[in-house]
Each structure stands twice: as structure tokens, then as C-alpha cells.
Amino acid sequence: MLTKSSRINIQSELDRLTPLEVDKLLEGRRLPFDIVIKDRGVVKPLFNKGMVFTAVAKEMLREKGISEVFITIKDASLLEDYLAETKTQKTSFYDDPLAFKNYSFYKDQHHQIDRTFLIPGTKITFSLFILNKLNFSPLVHASPLTPGEINELLLNEEGDIVIKKSDIPLYNQYLESLSTSDTLSQEDRTKALRATVRERAKIVIRDILESPEGPRKLKGLGAKEKAKIVMRELLNHPERGEKIEELKKILSTMIDNTLQDRDAVYDLISLGGYDYYTYTHSVNVAALAISLGIAIGLKRAEVERLGIGAMLHDIGKSVISHEILHKQGKLDDREYRIIQSHVIEGERILRAHKEFPEEAFSAVLQHHEKLSGRGYPFRLSGKEITPFGRITAIADCYDALTTRRPYKPALTPFYALSVIAKETGNYDPDLLKIFIKMLGKIK
């Protein structure tokens, strides 16, 4: 039952919206504003600003009986110019080859981190930068000799927060210092509790500190960040088998968290519309896969094998050239075939590691197979695809759709799930129903 205050909050949210007929949305044009819908009195994000509105999107709305969507009143001033636009597509700054080349270089030299752990007022020994629209800008200058302080206002900057890859060990030390809530000083607690973190953040340090589940949540979130670091090391050095053992231990913590609290999946996946990073994507896919595995009743040992397979499903990309992985624009047929080879390359790499369980190979080999037989690399169909392959395929597709790329804004969870569900015959319908229910609290 809604409380009086929650009803007021919902009504306040509804009052800030202005309607827009679906038929007026321009196909093939980028949206200059976010679009939401009203579902039983609740506002739900539908399309993100910057997304190209397509015929598929319009058809999806028609199938769901949606004839009217909404934008915020503050964006209403953009509506007239949008409706008056011609079919001519404006040149984007993403089309600048030099800017894109610099972006790709600096992105590889930095490591994306979760802003959850950046407590305003806390001293840090590593510098912070913001990545937004191909540009890297400094936020905090810091080093072990000259520590810096996290500024609350800086954390509201749009974009991904990153650190230099050379500072990863310092960030790891910082994570260790936050491994339990007892390590936070009273002063830091007070500042954290007063902090105003971005409205779109699903988990904030304030909520964690106030919750009786705080220590467990911090441990789970820390495991996710450490998994990203280890995955990055493995992608750079896939021959390091000891890192697989390290990942298994981290996955065990993630599984424990999910077994204790089925909503832990919201803590473990990155929900901020981040740029695409293979290491972050790998951790998200593992978190989604183990949550789905638990939801369908797999035994603990099976979930562990599923988790390590899902975590390493893209390890084969470690041998594909930077130029193809980060190409500006559409891949040609030859380049696409090379990208597809990451599945077989992944198996080849993992066969050399006795630490990798045999049962987990199907997650690696089958995450691009489709029940219809239209997937790759073996064009398997129906029962030929194992449960691990089916689960990882759904998790991989969902995270890819909800992650931002230079040429593709992130889809909202609602729209991404609609897109996956629309691919009739490609994904296991029973698993997909459970997956959608599992993510039901994500707006």
C-alpha cells in the first residue's frame, strides 16, 4: 500500500510532465529529451535522450497500446525545434576521427570506477577524472604525497568517473579501507549521510550506512569493484590462471550476497548508463547470470560454475585488435567475422587453464547462440543450447543494450527488455519471464 508521502511524491512527479503523441515522434532522429510513460500511476523511463527513435520502437509502442508518452516540463522548450526538424541528420561530434581516436586512447589508459564509494569529504591518494562525450576532464588531483579531497559537487558531474590505470593499486587500497562500515570515521559518516548523490544512482553510500545490511552491501559492492580490476588484468594478460582463482573467490562473495538477498542484483550491476568497458560488462553479465541461476533454483555449485563462465564469456576479445574493438563506425564483413571469432578464441584461452571448470564452457561458447539457430559460432538451436548458454545469452544481450556506446545511447531497462522479448524464438521464453520479473524494480 502506498503511504501518503509516497502518493504525494508520485503525484509531484506526474505534475512535472507534458504529453507527446507517439505519432509525432520522428523516425530516424535522435531524441533531444528523455521520454517516460505512466504505468498504473508510476512514471517509468522509456527512451533515453540521444537515442535514435526507430520504426521498431514505434511498433513496440503500438503493440503495447501506448499512444501517448511524456517529457518533462523543463524539456518542453525543445519540443518545437524537434518537431520542426528536417530529415537531414546533423553532424555529431562523435564523427570527428581525431576526437574519437583520442577518446579510445585515453579510455584504455583509465579505469572506470563506481561513484558509490566516493564519499564527499574523504581524502584520496589517486586522481579522479570524468569521461563525458569523448572528453576527459580532471575532477580531483591527488597522489600519495599530496592527497586530495572528494568534493560533493564534483560527483554530480555528468559522465563516467575514471582513474588512471596506474592508480588501480591505490584505488584497491581505498576499497580495502571501506571493506567494513567500522573503518569510516564519524566525520566521514556525517558527511556521507548528508551527501546529495545523483538522483539516478540506485545505491548510495548514505543508504548503505543507514541500513542494517550495510556491512554486507559494502562487501558485495567492493567485490564487484575488485572483480572489474581482476577482469581488466585477465583481459590484458589472459595467460594468468591465478587470476581465475581470484575471480572464483570474488564470485563466491557475490553469490553469498545474492543468496541472502535476492535484490542484491541491483547492487551488483552498473545501472548508471556507463560507457562500454569489457571488464564492467563482464561483471554485470556474471551478476545477472548468477541471479537468474539462483532464481530458477540451481544448486550452489552450479551457480558458481555458471558465474565463472559468464564472467569470462568475452575473454576471447583479449586477442582481437584494438582497431577493430574500438572502430569508429560500422564494422565491415571481415571485421565482423573477426569479432565473432572471440567465442572460439575464448575457449582456446580457457582450455589452457585447469582452474576453469569444464561445465562452464557452454556459457563461453554459446552466449551468442539463438534458439532459432540464427546465432554463432555453431548455429545451434533449441535443445542443443544448454541452460548456461541460454542464461548467459540473455544476460549478455540485456547488459549490452543498457550500456552506452559512442554511437548508441543506452536503452532504458524497460525498452531493452521489450527489445529482447520481441526477438521471438531467439531467447528462452521461460527464462526471460523470470529474468523480467527478477529485474522488476529497475525503472
Side-chain angles (χ1 to χ4, degrees):
M1 180 180 292
L2 292 175
T3 64
K4 180 179 179 181
S5 61
S6 62
R7 286 196 296 270
I8 291 173
N9 288 338
I10 289 173
Q11 188 58 50
S12 175
E13 198 171 6
L14 293 173
D15 290 342
R16 295 196 297 269
L17 300 176
T18 187
L20 173 61
E21 293 177 19
V22 167
D23 287 341
K24 291 185 177 180
L25 292 170
L26 304 177
E27 291 183 25
R29 300 311 308 272
R30 291 189 184 276
L31 296 170
F33 33 61
D34 292 325
I35 286 181
V36 301
I37 58 172
K38 297 177 183 178
D39 183 14
R40 287 176 249 180
V42 178
V43 175
K44 292 186 176 180
L46 180 61
F47 301 133
N48 288 330
K49 175 181 177 180
M51 189 195 95
V52 175
F53 184 73
T54 64
V56 173
K58 181 172 282 189
E59 184 182 353
M60 183 271 290
L61 292 174
R62 286 173 178 161
E63 288 178 352
K64 293 182 177 295
I66 299 173
S67 60
E68 186 179 64
V69 293
F70 299 85
I71 62 175
T72 62
I73 289 176
K74 67 180 178 61
D75 284 336
S77 60
L78 302 171
L79 188 56
E80 184 176 350
D81 288 342
Y82 167 72
L83 295 177
E85 286 180 0
T86 65
K87 293 289 185 180
T88 303
Q89 187 70 44
K90 296 178 181 177
T91 301
S92 165
F93 55 83
Y94 290 123
D95 296 325
D96 182 342
L98 181 58
F100 191 86
K101 184 176 181 179
N102 288 336
Y103 156 81
S104 297
F105 172 78
Y106 284 112
K107 188 175 179 181
D108 279 349
Q109 300 304 308
H110 291 77
H111 181 82
Q112 180 263 327
I113 66 174
D114 193 326
R115 62 178 75 219
T116 298
F117 289 97
L118 301 177
I119 307 170
T122 302
K123 296 288 185 182
I124 54 175
T125 58
F126 47 88
S127 294
L128 299 177
F129 303 84
I130 197 81
L131 165 59
N132 186 31
K133 296 180 179 177
L134 305 189
N135 294 316
F136 285 82
S137 305
L139 285 181
V140 177
H141 290 288
S143 71
L145 295 178
T146 56
E149 184 173 299
I150 299 172
N151 184 313
E152 177 182 331
L153 295 178
L154 294 177
L155 296 184
N156 289 324
E157 291 287 332
E158 180 72 24
D160 293 352
I161 293 183
V162 298
I163 61 175
K164 294 177 182 177
K165 67 178 183 180
S166 58
D167 281 344
I168 289 176
L170 295 174
Y171 178 61
N172 227 340
Q173 292 173 16
Y174 176 79
L175 290 177
E176 289 293 337
S177 73
L178 297 177
S179 58
T180 68
S181 57
D182 293 337
T183 62
L184 295 173
S185 69
Q186 185 57 46
E187 181 182 1
D188 283 341
R189 271 179 207 275
T190 303
K191 290 177 179 176
L193 291 172
R194 291 176 179 171
T196 301
V197 187
R198 301 178 61 79
E199 186 177 327
R200 64 183 174 86
K202 304 299 181 187
I203 298 295
V204 297
I205 201 76
R206 178 189 61 218
D207 297 332
I208 294 171
L209 292 174
E210 289 180 335
S211 168
E213 297 294 314
R216 183 186 59 77
K217 283 182 176 289
L218 277 175
K219 189 175 182 181
L221 287 165
K224 179 191 76 172
E225 286 296 277
K226 290 176 182 177
K228 283 160 53 180
I229 292 171
V230 177
M231 267 309 307
R232 182 183 180 120
E233 292 176 352
L234 258 176
L235 287 165
N236 289 329
H237 302 284
E239 73 282 357
R240 298 186 64 179
E242 76 277 7
K243 291 298 176 183
I244 295 178
E245 289 297 334
E246 197 172 337
L247 276 179
K248 286 181 180 179
K249 293 177 183 178
I250 295 171
L251 274 166
S252 181
T253 299
M254 293 169 64
I255 293 169
D256 286 342
N257 266 26
T258 308
L259 286 170
Q260 293 175 42
D261 177 11
R262 296 299 176 88
D263 288 345
V265 64
Y266 303 117
D267 301 0
L268 294 174
I269 60 174
S270 303
L271 296 168
Y274 292 110
D275 258 26
Y276 183 86
Y277 304 83
T278 303
Y279 48 88
T280 301
H281 170 69
S282 299
V283 178
N284 282 346
V285 170
L288 290 164
I290 63 176
S291 295
L292 184 51
I294 289 171
I296 65 173
L298 294 183
K299 296 179 181 179
R300 170 63 185 254
E302 292 176 304
V303 175
E304 289 176 350
R305 292 191 287 269
L306 169 63
I308 194 64
M311 183 77 80
L312 294 171
H313 75 286
D314 272 346
I315 190 69
K317 289 184 177 178
S318 62
V319 299
I320 295 177
S321 73
H322 178 278
E323 288 72 23
I324 293 179
L325 285 176
H326 301 286
K327 182 181 177 180
Q328 182 185 21
K330 187 177 180 179
L331 298 172
D332 61 31
D333 290 343
R334 181 188 67 85
E335 292 165 336
Y336 185 58
R337 287 195 297 272
I338 291 173
I339 285 288
Q340 288 182 321
S341 73
H342 80 274
V343 176
I344 300 299
E345 289 293 344
E347 182 194 28
R348 180 186 63 78
I349 290 168
L350 293 170
R351 287 290 177 195
H353 296 297
K354 64 180 185 301
E355 302 87 357
F356 190 80
E358 181 67 30
E359 300 89 339
F361 274 103
S362 60
V364 178
L365 283 167
Q366 299 177 3
H367 69 275
H368 282 296
E369 299 287 0
K370 300 183 185 299
L371 296 185
S372 61
R374 295 195 294 265
Y376 68 85
F378 303 118
R379 300 185 72 83
L380 302 178
S381 62
K383 294 181 180 180
E384 293 176 308
I385 305 174
T386 67
F388 281 15
R390 297 174 185 221
I391 290 171
T392 309
I394 292 174
D396 176 62
C397 183
Y398 173 80
D399 190 68
L401 289 174
T402 54
T403 303
R404 186 174 59 219
R405 308 286 183 107
Y407 286 91
K408 182 191 74 64
L411 299 186
T412 62
F414 178 88
Y415 186 38
L417 290 170
S418 298
V419 169
I420 297 173
K422 190 174 178 61
E423 292 192 38
T424 307
N426 283 339
Y427 300 99
D428 187 307
D430 295 327
L431 285 176
L432 189 56
K433 287 177 184 177
I434 298 171
F435 188 76
I436 291 172
K437 184 178 181 180
M438 182 182 85
L439 297 180
K441 293 184 181 180
I442 297 181
K443 285 189 176 184

